[in-house]
Amino acid sequence: MDFKTALSFALPFGLALAAIGSGLGLGRAVAAAMDAMGRQPEAAGKIQTGMIIGCALIEALTIYALVAFFILQGRIV
C-alpha cells in the first residue's frame, strides 16, 4: 500500500471520527448545561456563557479536522 492509497482511506475515516467525537461532545456539554440551568435557574446566564464558549471550542476542533482534510486531500491527486 503506497502513501496515496493509505491517505485516501485515512482521510474520510479521520474526518468521520472527528465529526462523531464533536457531536458526542456537544451533546454532552449541552445536556450538562441544561441540567445545571434546570437546577440553578438564577445562574443560567453564567452557565449559558460557559456552554457557548465550550461549544465554540469543540466546533473549532472539528473545523480544524475539516481544514486538514482539504489540505491533505490535495496531496492524493
Side-chain angles (χ1 to χ4, degrees), residues 10 22-23 33 38 44 51 66 72:
S22 174
M51 178 192 71
L66 185 64
L72 292 174

Side-chain angles (χ1 to χ4, degrees), residues 26 29 48-60:
L26 281 173
Q48 188 174 16
T49 302
M51 178 192 71
I52 290 172
I53 292 170
C55 289
L57 292 174
I58 292 170
E59 284 293 326

Side-chain angles (χ1 to χ4, degrees), residues 14-15 20 43-44:
L15 186 61
I20 290 170

Side-chain angles (χ1 to χ4, degrees), residues 1-12 68 71-77:
M1 183 181 301
D2 63 339
F3 171 73
K4 291 181 180 181
T5 305
L7 195 58
S8 65
F9 282 116
L11 280 178
I71 289 172
L72 292 174
Q73 188 180 20
R75 294 182 183 231
I76 293 174
V77 179

